Amino acid sequence: MSTDLHDLSVAQLAAKLAAREVSSLELTQHFLARVDNHAGLGAFLATDREVSLAQARAADARLATGERTPLLGVPLAHKDIFVTRDFPTTAGSKMLENYRSPFDATVVARLGVHGGAGMVTLGKLNCDEFAMGSGNDNSAYQPVQNPWDITRVPGGSSGGSAAAVAARLVPAATGTDTGGSIRQPAALTGITGIKPTYGRCSRYGMVAFASSLDQAGPMARSALDCALLLSSMAGPDPDRDSTSLDLPALDYATDLIATGAQGTGVTPLKGLKIGLPTQFFGAGCSADVLKAVRGALAEFEKLGATLVDVSLPLTELSIPVYYVIAPAEASSNLSRFDGVRYGHRAATYSDLTDMYKKSRSEGFGDEVTRRIMIGTYVLSHGYYDAYYLKAQKIRRLIAEDFQKAFAQCDIIAGPVSPTVAWKIGEKGDDPVANYLADIYTLSSSLAGLPGMSVPAGSGEGGMPVGLQLIGNYFKEAQLLGAAHQFQLATDWHLRQPTGI
Ligand code: GLN
């Protein structure tokens, strides 16, 4: 039985391209047909067949010269928060409807076919408006369906990226994570995603939400595929993002590729200490998720790792702290959308103030408006000390707690999300219900630590469950290595939604 092209991983597709068994043009046509056939999922906000085919021809031309770089000619798609020259960029908002950037984001350029790693862009992926949300139901365009059960959310805010990879409409995608938006949708759709250390990937050309938290990362089906993408995405960008880390880009994939399948009884993770924060395993997490996570951890023990208890006492405070700091930064970042320099402008208005008011009221959705108001409030004279400054102080304490925990372990593990994917509309208009779902991802974001989600089992309704692995600063390679060993020993990342 022949395997369909869309069942292959990034690494397998790259090998086929390098052996000239398939051309980038053929691959691109194949995946674009799938994108068209599954338009009902709502994963894509923009495609442009001619642009993608032209990029594929450019990749094929590079292959024809004998160039053999690991991603050359492999299709991908970008979360619609990255600006792109060749496609429109909306950030999931009516504010930026029909906006087209004159340049590519650094991450897009590094992965792309114009002088980058040579990946072919299939289009732009749906997301919550300005990356604010946990279910992709805050997109101004359409909600995204979870391919495992189309009545459920795919998670958010990178929900289009997650759904597209899980449905095999594209072998890999970019995402961004401010408070969990790579890890949580990866968990809810059964794919693998990594949020690197803050600053590892350039933020240049990422529509800004909360600048001290925003971080780009890859989403794919396996740790190896994520490693392949991250190797091209990461690296300093000193002229364009002053917060990008001054550390050389690493090759995250070669060591993983060198590790073949292990026989039973082999313990490649011997010596690795995995810390389990008591606060991540309490009553707040549903029983099905806990069961799957514990099952995955038992597998890590079989691979030689030891489990130790650690404590992250301020975990609960990460929700109020994040929901003060992120809106504060958002209120500042979103002030540039005024209908003059950028974005939607109201058709009629009486004067300048009225124009700002109408343009912003029409352009921004409810959640974005709510956050601008909260952010403006917590930064205002008289409230700054009580809310914003206090939150910043607790943020520091949260980061310090992680360092205390890392004195006892190498990696911290737990659930990504307290439940499996919920039904579209289930949380209604209650913003707090969405905020609470971020409990396990926010603290590491506030600390700027790398974290990943690894498919680890299934829960209620057969829905995927993700295991979260959090590393210390700059330890992406260690996280990817541990996840890769787990994926050599298990097949959760290979399971697919049926009927897609
Ligand atoms: N769910 C969180 C929020 O709504 C995180 C979003 C993100 O990481 N972009 O802010």
Side-chain angles (χ1 to χ4, degrees):
M1 196 181 83
S2 71
T3 313
D4 283 317
L5 287 171
H6 53 265
D7 291 327
L8 301 178
S9 65
V10 170
Q12 289 167 329
L13 290 170
K16 272 195 176 298
L17 284 160
R20 318 289 323 260
E21 286 169 25
V22 68
S23 68
S24 181
L25 191 65
E26 285 162 342
L27 274 188
T28 303
Q29 285 165 333
H30 178 86
F31 280 102
L32 281 176
R34 278 187 71 75
V35 172
D36 283 348
N37 290 337
H38 294 90
L41 286 173
F44 277 78
L45 288 179
T47 53
D48 187 329
R49 190 176 174 79
E50 289 316 311
V51 165
S52 299
L53 295 181
Q55 291 189 4
R57 285 190 198 98
D60 280 331
R62 281 167 62 175
L63 282 157
T65 66
E67 183 180 341
R68 292 292 180 270
T69 40
L71 299 169
L72 183 56
V74 178
L76 100 158
H78 293 292
K79 182 177 183 179
D80 203 18
I81 207 99
F82 292 93
V83 301
T84 41
R85 266 193 302 174
D86 292 348
F87 295 86
T89 301
T90 69
S93 181
K94 291 281 177 203
M95 185 52 102
L96 285 175
E97 198 165 17
N98 302 321
Y99 172 71
R100 196 176 273 260
S101 165
F103 65 94
D104 280 332
T106 296
V107 160
V108 171
R110 286 190 177 162
L111 288 170
V113 86
H114 311 298
M119 297 189 88
V120 173
T121 307
L122 297 189
K124 303 297 289 290
L125 295 160
N126 204 345
C127 57
D128 283 306
E129 185 174 5
F130 289 103
M132 299 177 189
S134 307
N136 215 124
D137 33 7
N138 290 338
S139 163
Y141 296 94
Q142 53 192 335
V144 179
Q145 298 172 344
N146 190 319
W148 290 83
D149 173 352
I150 59 169
T151 67
R152 300 194 194 226
V153 300
S157 64
S158 313
S161 307
V165 172
R168 289 161 292 141
L169 310 186
V170 66
T174 53
T176 61
D177 192 310
T178 302
S181 283
I182 287 175
R183 291 162 285 163
Q184 187 257 22
L188 269 40
T189 57
I191 66 163
T192 306
I194 181 165
K195 175 201 102 77
T197 307
Y198 177 78
R200 180 64 91 175
C201 295
S202 170
R203 288 185 295 110
Y204 182 70
M206 261 165 63
V207 178
F209 163 14
S211 309
S212 76
L213 294 153
D214 295 346
Q215 183 53 210
M219 301 171 77
R221 291 207 296 279
S222 67
L224 174 57
D225 284 356
C226 285
L228 283 164
L229 265 81
L230 188 60
S231 304
S232 286
M233 294 167 75
D237 193 12
D239 298 336
R240 295 185 165 132
D241 176 5
S242 59
T243 59
S244 72
L245 288 167
D246 188 18
L247 294 171
L250 294 174
D251 171 359
Y252 295 97
T254 301
D255 283 354
L256 304 195
I257 293 166
T259 325
Q262 310 281 323
T264 40
V266 181
T267 51
L269 297 182
K270 201 169 166 52
L272 185 77
K273 275 197 204 153
I274 300 183
L276 311 182
T278 32
Q279 294 80 1
F280 281 32
F281 289 84
C285 192
S286 65
D288 58 332
V289 170
L290 277 182
K291 187 161 178 260
V293 165
R294 291 212 180 274
L297 289 168
E299 199 61 48
F300 274 92
E301 278 187 298
K302 276 194 217 154
L303 293 168
T306 44
L307 307 180
V308 295
D309 288 329
V310 296
S311 183
L312 294 172
L314 299 178
T315 298
E316 260 185 38
L317 286 184
S318 63
I319 296 180
V321 167
Y322 172 88
Y323 281 100
V324 166
I325 291 174
E329 295 186 20
S331 72
S332 167
N333 274 325
L334 271 53
S335 64
R336 73 188 61 159
F337 299 103
D338 59 4
V340 179
R341 287 168 296 178
Y342 289 99
H344 169 79
R345 184 187 298 190
T348 55
Y349 42 86
S350 53
D351 56 21
L352 186 65
T353 309
D354 191 45
M355 188 202 75
Y356 286 149
K357 236 190 206 165
K358 279 201 182 132
S359 302
R360 286 170 66 84
S361 304
E362 290 169 11
F364 291 135
D366 288 350
E367 183 60 24
V368 174
T369 305
R370 180 179 297 117
R371 297 205 193 186
I372 291 172
M373 290 172 72
I374 294 172
T376 311
Y377 179 79
V378 300
L379 288 176
S380 61
H381 184 71
Y383 295 101
Y384 181 93
D385 287 1
Y387 294 106
Y388 183 71
L389 206 61
K390 182 77 152 268
Q392 290 289 23
K393 288 179 179 169
I394 303 172
R395 179 180 192 176
R396 166 64 72 91
L397 296 176
I398 288 171
E400 286 175 6
D401 279 350
F402 272 106
Q403 291 314 307
K404 286 180 200 149
F406 281 124
Q408 293 167 261
C409 63
D410 306 299
I411 286 178
I412 290 172
V416 176
S417 161
T419 63
V420 296
W422 53 91
K423 298 274 182 188
I424 294 173
E426 184 184 316
K427 295 198 194 286
D429 291 331
D430 179 6
V432 177
N434 277 293
Y435 302 170
L436 294 176
D438 298 335
I439 177 76
Y440 302 128
T441 52
L442 296 180
S443 52
S444 48
S445 288
L446 288 164
L449 294 164
M452 77 184 285
S453 177
V454 185
S458 68
E460 180 250 314
M463 297 303 290
V465 172
L467 172 75
Q468 183 171 205
L469 300 176
I470 300 168
N472 211 340
Y473 299 112
F474 324 124
K475 298 280 192 187
E476 291 83 7
Q478 187 181 42
L479 290 182
L480 290 163
H484 181 61
Q485 291 300 338
F486 176 75
Q487 293 185 335
L488 287 173
T490 58
D491 70 351
W492 294 110
H493 63 296
L494 299 175
R495 303 202 187 182
Q496 288 161 0
T498 47
I500 296 262

